[in-house]
């Protein structure tokens, strides 16, 4: 099977609304590989999910204030400007990270890209880091197989026509280890901690944002990020947003069950339970590629899926254990996630991925790893594509609505 370059989805800002209190804007997402099958690139991206889940587990033992909110997979980035005058950057979008970070000029070992130059910005300043780290010395961050030192800083962040003065972020000074998977120009944290974008822009956007990730089948492969109350779907169905003090940066929801076709999968309560003591439960995450379910729950879903597909020869491919020769997508059962107060129906494009080399389809889900994350269910970005995901950190709700993300 041919190896394709890793897949990156880029967001270019559309200045649809002017700066205002509780304003709204759409930030479009453009896919760079619209002429390629997603299987090889998704498989390569999903290989980083183990590291991603290891990062999520670190949130259980490292306080949010330490600034350890570093994503492990950069599947989507947004175009932003930092500084005065603004320096354009492509920042990875991550709903499970709080502290944003960018490589700064002079960074030793940073990936090859145009870094942010603090000396060229008239609004750049050191931030009060005492609330973030125990001391104002450079803080140590980890990213997959790499680690880096950064100083807490602040500057003006520009998104479309809006400006966010005094935005707190980490200025990366040096990187060690393997940096090939790092976002070249940094990360924008949309996590729910006090350093995340929602908290820092509470007065401007009221703690509300939504995003719609494009399908790999979309010709234009573009979607949008929307900030603020204005322009959000009015009829969207929602489920309560839960807060887990063990992992306070993450967006937890109450997953009550899963159906395959018309059959409700039998699930023990502990497979779905929200437990603040252990960090168990279900989260919505933009950085993980394929949905991970606690092992017994995944096996129950997988076995029911296989039963309904029928007597076919099952194979493994690229880490997926439920692959089969593609008859037609219509013959595959629909998977439904049942949340408290609403259901999310996954069509075939959110359930299966297809090989570019052979007519093979695979169930795009996997078991959670056998480590501290064995208790965590992750609703990942492949299952969120062509879905408007609304997060309201003030009203404590998460919404899902089908939408063509163009």
């Amino acid at each position: 099977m041919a190896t394709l370059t890793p897949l990156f989805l880029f967001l270019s800002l559309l200045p649809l609304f002017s700066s205002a209190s509780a304003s709204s804007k759409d930030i479009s997402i453009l896919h760079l590989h619209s002429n390629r099958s997603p299987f090889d690139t998704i498989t390569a991206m999903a290989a980083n999910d183990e590291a991603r889940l290891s990062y999520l587990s670190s949130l259980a033992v490292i306080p949010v204030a330490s600034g350890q909110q570093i994503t492990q997979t950069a599947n989507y980035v947004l175009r932003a400007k930092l500084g005065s005058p603004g320096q354009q950057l492509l920042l990875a979008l991550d709903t499970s990270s709080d502290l944003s970070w960018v490589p700064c000029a002079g960074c030793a070992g940073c990936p090859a890209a145009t870094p942010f130059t603090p000396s060229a910005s008239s609004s750049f300043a050191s931030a009060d880091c005492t609330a973030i780290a125990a001391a104002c010395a450079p803080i140590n961050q980890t990213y997959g197989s790499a680690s880096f030192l950064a100083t807490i800083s602040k500057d003006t962040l520009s998104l479309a026509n809006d400006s966010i003065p005094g935005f707190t972020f980490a200025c990366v000074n040096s990187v060690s280890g393997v940096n090939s998977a790092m976002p070249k120009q940094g990360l924008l944290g949309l996590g729910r901690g006090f350093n995340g974008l929602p908290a820092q822009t509470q007065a401007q956007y009221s703690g509300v944002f939504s995003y719609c990730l494009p399908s790999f089948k979309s010709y234009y492969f573009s979607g949008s990020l929307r900030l603020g109350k204005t322009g959000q779907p009015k009829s969207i169905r929602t489920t309560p947003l839960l807060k887990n003090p063990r992992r306070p940066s993450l967006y937890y929801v109450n997953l009550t069950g899963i159906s395959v076709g018309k059959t409700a999968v039998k699930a023990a309560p502990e497979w779905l339970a929200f437990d603040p003591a252990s960090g168990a439960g279900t989260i919505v995450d933009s950085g993980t590629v394929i949905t991970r379910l606690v092992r017994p729950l995944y096996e129950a879903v997988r076995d029911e899926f296989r039963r309904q597909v029928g007597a076919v020869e099952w194979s493994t491919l690229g880490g997926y254990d439920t692959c089969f020769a593609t008859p037609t997508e219509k013959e595959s059962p629909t998977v439904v996630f049942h949340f408290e107060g609403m259901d999310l129906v996954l069509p075939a494009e959110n359930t299966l991925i297809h090989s570019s080399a052979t007519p093979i389809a695979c169930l795009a889900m996997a078991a959670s790893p056998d480590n501290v994350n064995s208790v965590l269910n992750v609703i990942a970005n492949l299952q969120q594509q062509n879905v408007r995901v609304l997060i309201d950190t003030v009203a404590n709700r998460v919404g899902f609505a089908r939408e063509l993300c163009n």
Side-chain angles (χ1 to χ4, degrees), residues 23-385:
S23 64
S24 172
K25 60 173 51 59
D26 282 353
I27 302 171
S28 65
I29 303 172
L30 177 65
H31 188 272
L32 294 184
H33 300 285
S34 59
N35 61 340
R36 296 179 178 177
S37 166
F39 184 84
D40 297 316
T41 49
I42 291 177
T43 299
M45 289 160 56
N48 293 323
D49 278 355
E50 293 292 333
R52 170 72 180 184
L53 293 171
S54 294
Y55 154 68
L56 294 178
S57 72
S58 74
L59 296 177
V61 297
I62 301 175
V64 174
S66 71
Q68 296 297 321
Q69 291 75 27
I70 304 298
T71 186
Q72 297 298 313
T73 53
N75 306 323
Y76 299 90
V77 300
L78 61 83
R79 199 177 294 274
K81 290 183 179 180
L82 186 64
S84 303
Q87 300 173 42
Q88 186 164 281
L89 299 170
L90 294 174
L91 303 180
L93 180 80
D94 189 0
T95 59
S96 293
S97 292
D98 289 345
L99 187 62
S100 301
W101 56 268
V102 299
C104 287
C107 175
C110 279
T114 304
F116 173 65
T117 305
S119 61
S121 172
S122 62
S123 51
F124 177 83
S126 297
D128 178 9
C129 60
T130 56
I132 301 173
C136 290
I139 58 174
N140 190 14
Q141 309 287 312
T142 59
Y143 187 90
S145 300
S147 62
F148 59 79
L149 292 177
T151 53
I152 304 302
S153 308
K154 62 182 179 180
D155 209 332
T156 298
L157 175 68
S158 298
L159 297 172
N161 285 343
D162 286 6
S163 293
I164 305 166
F167 182 76
T168 299
F169 66 99
C171 187
V172 179
N173 302 314
S174 66
V175 177
S176 59
V178 181
N179 65 16
S180 57
M182 291 180 64
K184 291 185 177 181
Q185 292 187 295
L187 174 146
L188 182 66
L190 287 169
R192 67 184 307 186
F194 65 87
N195 286 309
L197 180 69
Q200 290 201 50
T201 59
Q202 175 70 42
Q204 195 164 1
Y205 301 126
S206 304
V208 178
F209 70 93
S210 71
Y211 58 88
C212 191
L213 304 180
S215 167
F216 288 110
K217 293 183 177 182
S218 169
Y219 178 79
Y220 295 103
F221 285 84
S222 60
S224 64
L225 169 69
R226 190 172 295 163
L227 303 174
K229 291 183 177 180
T230 304
Q232 302 296 355
K234 298 186 182 302
S235 60
I236 191 169
R237 297 191 65 186
T238 63
T239 187
L241 171 61
L242 309 178
K243 189 165 186 176
N244 194 324
R246 189 173 176 87
R247 294 176 173 180
S249 299
L250 306 183
Y251 294 105
Y252 277 84
V253 291
N254 186 15
L255 180 67
T256 60
I258 299 176
S259 293
V260 178
K262 296 182 179 180
T263 301
V265 175
K266 293 183 179 179
E270 59 268 23
W271 303 349
L272 303 168
F274 171 71
D275 185 357
S278 66
T282 301
I283 67 167
V284 178
D285 180 42
S286 68
T288 305
V289 178
I290 62 170
T291 285
R292 299 298 184 112
L293 302 173
V294 298
R295 184 167 297 279
L297 178 59
Y298 168 71
E299 291 175 350
V301 171
R302 177 200 63 191
D303 292 348
E304 181 60 29
F305 181 88
R306 289 180 175 181
R307 187 188 70 80
Q308 292 189 30
V309 169
V312 300
E313 183 177 348
W314 298 103
S315 61
T316 61
L317 183 63
Y320 303 98
D321 67 0
T322 302
C323 302
F324 58 100
T326 311
T328 65
E329 288 191 357
K330 293 181 180 179
E331 296 182 32
S332 299
T334 298
V335 175
V336 181
F337 290 142
H338 302 288
F339 299 103
E340 180 182 345
M342 65 158 295
D343 296 336
L344 175 61
V345 180
L346 301 180
E349 66 178 17
N350 295 71
T351 306
L352 301 174
I353 59 171
H354 296 80
S355 170
S356 57
T358 56
I360 289 179
C362 300
L363 178 64
M365 298 180 189
S368 297
D370 294 324
N371 54 27
V372 67
N373 287 300
S374 64
V375 298
L376 191 65
N377 299 308
V378 182
I379 308 301
N381 62 37
L382 182 62
Q383 281 65 46
Q384 296 175 45
Q385 291 172 1

Side-chain angles (χ1 to χ4, degrees), residues 9-30:
L9 304 177
F10 291 89
L11 301 96
S12 54
L13 303 187
L14 294 181
L16 299 183
F17 299 91
S18 60
S19 178
S21 176
S23 64
S24 172
K25 60 173 51 59
D26 282 353
I27 302 171
S28 65
I29 303 172
L30 177 65

